[in-house]
DNA sequence: GATAATAGGGAATGATCGTTTCCTAATAAA
DNA sequence: TTTATTAGGAAACGATCATTCCCTATTATC
């Protein structure tokens, strides 16, 4: 079932919610219509389950990227680099379910809105934590405002997903190099 | 007709393309079904016309925000402030047609993709121009890479529209204050 | 003032959507 | 072996969608 959900994630990422029909879903998930409705109450429930799975995978990927750094600053740098990588190429143009869900459904579906908000706030708190770690280990200036910087970083990461979906090229090293100025 | 198009912009911003029915459109535009199809070939044509109008208005708003500054740095600061303002409150949760069009349609419709790309690139070029002005008048460091900085600024502005649609609060002065570090 | 032309409105249409229902096959229990 | 239970598949349903067609005013022309 998780593998079927992974396939649903890909379709929802690429086509969004409304442009994805049950037919698209059954084709991607290799399940018949009845089977989908046996496993999920309706289309929204498939979307929510796919979103939860997507969010969990992305959280894990972000945390493992952070683990590649040896201090707070480096951990944050790897997180940003990871975001650029995921915003590019085939995955970049496929798109992000968080920004997709936000843009397409935040105004129409309070369940989706609650989940995207939770995911954004979790990411923001994680970034804020990395900044504090950097301040504690001396790799990041102690004077900067943690919350404001974290929120701007969230804007940057979400924006990269938009720009990546528009297929504009993003140079990871250069872009992140500029973004690291925010830690001064 | 421009006033009807303005009303179409509001609906498309809020609900996106696929969740907006012709019924939604006719109700908002105060036009009957036949009248809409007399003026536009199909729903996509309405969207493209609304997008063009939205993009033109936003370009003008951004340029008038820039005009409030007395040097390159200040002009850029006012542009960013303007973006935060538009990303907040009722307009913020209504959403941006550029990020909406990108996220919902860039993968599905090459006409829309061409237009969102053009709009993003125009904005990026405008920001790059402001940075160069600032470098020329001494208000922005001469050492920074203009293109990389402009692209990151675009990520920030697009990201703010996503975060604003998710209804997370954005403090303009604080956020822009942090972002201005990128000009060091 | 009569007529042609056009803009706008609303009902009808075919297609597609999400959803339900029913059927089949496979597995577990007795 | 037989029966009960369940997972999976496909056809059928009503609703809604984008689109077309036709009618009615209104304006402009002669």
């Amino acid at each position: 079932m998780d593998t079927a959900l992974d396939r649903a994630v890909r379709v929802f990422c690429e086509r969004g919610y409304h442009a994805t029909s049950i037919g698209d879903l059954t084709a991607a998930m290799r399940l018949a219509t009845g089977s989908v409705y046996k496993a999920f109450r309706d289309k929204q429930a498939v979307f929510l389950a796919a979103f939860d799975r997507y969010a969990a995978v992305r959280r894990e990927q972000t945390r493992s990227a952070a683990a590649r750094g040896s201090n707070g600053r480096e951990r944050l740098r790897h997180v940003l680099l990871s975001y650029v990588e995921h915003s590019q190429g085939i995955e970049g143009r496929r798109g992000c379910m968080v920004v997709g869900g936000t843009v397409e459904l935040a105004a129409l579906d309070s369940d989706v809105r609650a989940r995207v908000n939770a995911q954004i706030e979790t990411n923001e708190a994680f970034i804020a934590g990395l900044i504090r770690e950097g301040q504690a280990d001396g790799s990041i200036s102690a004077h900067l405002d943690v919350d404001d910087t974290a929120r701007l970083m969230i804007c940057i990461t979400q924006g990269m997903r938009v720009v990546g979906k528009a297929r504009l090229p993003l140079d990871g090293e250069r872009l992140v190099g500029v973004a690291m100025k925010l830690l001064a």
Side-chain angles (χ1 to χ4, degrees), chain A residues 93-154:
Chain A
R93 84 185 46 173
R94 188 179 298 138
C96 165
M97 271 196 89
V98 177
V99 345
T102 301
V103 169
E104 199 179 355
L105 295 172
L108 306 174
D109 186 318
S110 59
D111 291 326
V112 173
R113 185 169 63 245
R115 283 170 204 242
V116 300
N117 276 351
Q119 176 72 0
I120 291 175
E121 279 165 3
T122 298
N123 283 337
E124 185 174 298
F126 182 68
I127 287 174
L130 293 180
I131 295 175
R132 285 197 196 87
E133 289 179 29
Q135 289 180 320
D137 65 31
S139 62
I140 292 177
S141 160
H143 301 99
L144 59 76
D145 185 290
V146 175
D147 293 337
D148 293 340
T149 305
R151 177 134 299 185
L152 189 63
M153 292 264 180
I154 285 293

Side-chain angles (χ1 to χ4, degrees), chain A residues 26-39:
Chain A
T26 58
M29 298 171 86
R30 262 97 103 160
L31 252 44
T33 315
S35 307
V36 170
Y37 278 88
K38 193 97 54 180

